[in-house]
Amino acid sequence: MAESHGNAQGAAAHTEADGGHKAPFPPFQKDTFASQLVSLTIAFVALYLISSRLALPRVRKTIDDRQDKIEGDLAQAQKLKDESDAALKAYEAELAAARTRAQAIGNETREKLNAAADAERKALEERLSAKLADAEKTIASTRAAAMSNVRGIASDAAAAIVQQLTGVTPDSKLVDSAVEASMKG
Amino acid sequence: MDPIHQFNIEKIFTIGHIGGQEIAFTNSSAYMLLAVVLTSLLMLATGRKLVPGRMQSIAEISYEFVADTIRTTAGKDGMKFFPFVFSIFMLVTVSNLVGIIPYTFTISSHIIVTAALAFLVFFTVLIYGFYRNGLRFFKLFVPSGIPVVILPLVVAIEVISFLSRPVSHSVRLFANMLAGHITLKVFASFVTMLGAMGIVGVFGAVLPLALVVALTALELLVAFLQAYVFTILTCIYINDAIHPGH
């Protein structure tokens, strides 16, 4: 055994004690290199195996799971949104169809009612004008009758007046023509 | 108050001998295993909830951080090396951060540790580069679009820079950790030295104490940053093995 840690430490303590040669700078003490290399190899291999076999796949899975969950949730939200959009669109379409149908029914009813009212009014007007014409005829005939009665009464009255005044019974034809003339005048 | 004392390797027990060299379980070994155990606990003992808690978040952020680093520097093919890069990153980061705690030991303050990791990366790149690309791996040293006249010079520079990678790779981490811990220790020993000098010294010790606090914050940054630099360089070198053409 050429050198050992115990010797190195002992040497360091010794040199410090008698204040002679400086102790070797620890990072350059060659006798510690082998120990450090062995420990570093063990530590690094252990760390590499733990990382590659256990740690990194574990964290990768956690991150992937979260990513999947987020993507799944987003897809779900998108699906629901699409569904609600479709429902809204269907509702609006139905509403529009119902509105046009209601308008059509309204128009149809209005036209039907208008036509019925028109027909009734026309019939009523015809009936009324017929009655009016009848009434006018009656009035005309009544007036003619009345007028002929008036002439008769006037002729009689004139003849009576002439007889009273003159004591002569006038000719009825003359009286008639005189009455006629005066009535025209 | 020896600022170097913190880097001493102390034997805890002997494991065995290889070629006359004693192989011991040391304080360094203990902190290496501590880093492995802490990493394993972080990655395995934390929850697997849909909405992560704090420790689970740290585990997942570590995962995503290393994965993103590889993806951006070495591309999708680099993910083959994910466990490798992740192990390096967690080992260096966790041990560096543990090393900030007073009275602890920092394994990356020893050149042999950082050099071993750097050479591990170097040989991984070399072997995988030839395995994947065959002789096309030499294209790494021949940048395209260089005039033939200066090509030998450029190739020489490229080869030298490739061969010096493990040196710069390991010394950068080692020197940063070593220097940071020595600085902390020196300023901390100022505090105790001045504090021992009576009432004037106590007031005088305020300044180094404030500096120690500030430097500890800086070292916390350096501990993480150097681990990250080590990792990203690893990724860049691995990228060379995967895509040797410039």
Side-chain angles (χ1 to χ4, degrees):
Chain A
M1 177 160 70
E3 283 177 305
S4 75
H5 299 289
N7 289 348
Q9 292 304 315
H14 188 250
T15 46
E16 269 174 24
D18 67 16
H21 314 294
K22 284 199 81 170
F25 187 49
F28 299 141
Q29 281 173 2
K30 292 198 184 63
D31 58 327
T32 66
F33 284 4
S35 299
Q36 292 200 67
L37 284 177
V38 169
S39 337
L40 181 65
T41 308
I42 294 167
F44 189 81
V45 168
L47 186 57
Y48 183 87
L49 289 178
I50 292 168
S51 300
S52 60
R53 296 283 152 82
L54 304 171
L56 297 180
R58 182 175 183 273
V59 177
R60 169 84 276 157
K61 194 170 179 313
T62 311
I63 293 172
D64 282 350
D65 285 352
R66 179 179 307 127
Q67 193 61 28
D68 287 351
K69 173 85 174 120
I70 290 170
E71 273 165 16
D73 285 359
L74 281 181
Q76 177 80 5
Q78 186 61 39
K79 210 184 102 205
L80 291 177
K81 188 179 177 300
D82 288 348
E83 271 173 18
S84 79
D85 280 355
L88 185 67
K89 215 165 273 175
Y91 160 77
E92 274 171 0
E94 201 133 317
L95 192 66
R99 198 170 286 145
T100 35
R101 211 161 50 235
Q103 211 146 14
I105 291 171
N107 283 343
E108 203 178 309
T109 312
R110 196 176 309 120
E111 273 162 21
K112 214 186 282 172
L113 287 178
N114 277 351
D118 275 355
E120 208 153 306
R121 200 180 62 235
K122 228 169 255 167
L124 196 63
E125 273 172 3
E126 273 166 19
R127 221 167 40 244
L128 284 178
S129 55
K131 266 188 188 158
L132 203 60
D134 278 357
E136 273 169 2
K137 248 181 241 159
T138 316
I139 290 167
S141 61
T142 313
R143 191 205 266 145
M147 285 309 274
S148 58
N149 287 350
V150 166
R151 193 178 293 128
I153 291 165
S155 306
D156 287 351
I161 290 164
V162 171
Q163 196 179 6
Q164 283 290 320
L165 288 176
T166 57
V168 183
T169 306
D171 186 20
S172 68
K173 268 178 193 156
L174 276 173
V175 174
D176 277 355
S177 63
V179 167
E180 193 89 9
S182 77
M183 277 178 85
K184 267 177 190 160
Chain B
M1 286 306 122
D2 179 11
I4 303 302
H5 178 261
Q6 58 177 323
F7 303 115
N8 277 348
I9 300 284
E10 275 142 32
K11 184 175 78 173
I12 297 174
F13 58 83
T14 304
I15 300 171
H17 298 273
I18 296 176
Q21 174 69 56
E22 184 185 24
I23 303 300
F25 187 87
T26 63
N27 54 344
S28 173
S29 318
Y31 280 99
M32 288 173 192
L33 288 185
L34 180 66
V36 174
V37 168
L38 287 180
T39 305
S40 308
L41 282 178
L42 175 68
M43 302 307 286
L44 293 173
T46 47
R48 306 195 52 181
K49 292 195 290 276
L50 198 61
V51 179
R54 288 180 200 179
M55 293 316 280
Q56 193 190 342
S57 276
I58 294 175
E60 288 177 10
I61 288 167
S62 309
Y63 180 102
E64 297 281 7
F65 181 73
V66 177
D68 282 348
T69 306
I70 299 174
R71 255 186 240 113
T72 50
T73 51
K76 272 242 175 300
D77 291 339
M79 288 308 280
K80 226 174 284 170
F81 291 94
F82 183 36
F84 178 70
V85 176
F86 184 80
S87 303
I88 287 179
F89 176 74
M90 291 310 279
L91 183 66
V92 177
T93 309
V94 171
S95 62
N96 280 1
L97 291 177
V98 167
I100 299 292
I101 301 167
Y103 300 110
T104 56
F105 177 86
T106 312
I107 61 170
S108 54
S109 64
H110 275 255
I111 182 75
I112 186 67
V113 173
T114 61
L117 289 174
F119 275 105
L120 177 65
V121 173
F122 181 77
F123 285 113
T124 304
V125 166
L126 208 59
I127 293 167
Y128 184 75
F130 279 116
Y131 164 75
R132 183 184 164 103
N133 305 292
L135 292 179
R136 278 185 296 122
F137 185 61
F138 284 115
K139 273 207 274 182
L140 184 61
F141 307 118
V142 189
S144 55
I146 299 290
V148 180
V149 187
I150 61 163
L151 198 59
L153 184 64
V154 172
V155 169
I157 291 171
E158 289 282 343
V159 170
I160 290 168
S161 82
F162 183 80
L163 292 178
S164 61
R165 273 177 183 181
V167 177
S168 63
H169 201 188
S170 58
V171 169
R172 183 180 294 109
L173 176 59
F174 159 67
N176 267 288
M177 300 317 294
L178 184 79
H181 282 84
I182 290 176
T183 316
L184 277 179
K185 193 63 169 238
V186 166
F187 278 101
S189 57
F190 284 168
V191 177
T192 54
M193 272 157 56
L194 287 169
M197 280 166 57
I199 191 74
V200 180
V202 169
F203 283 107
V206 169
L207 186 65
L209 181 64
L211 265 172
V212 168
V213 172
L215 279 172
T216 305
L218 180 71
E219 281 309 305
L220 203 60
L221 173 72
V222 169
F224 175 76
L225 201 65
Q226 286 304 322
Y228 177 60
V229 168
F230 197 90
T231 308
I232 203 158
L233 283 172
T234 302
C235 293
I236 290 169
Y237 297 159
I238 284 172
N239 181 45
D240 282 343
I242 299 170
H243 312 105
H246 274 260

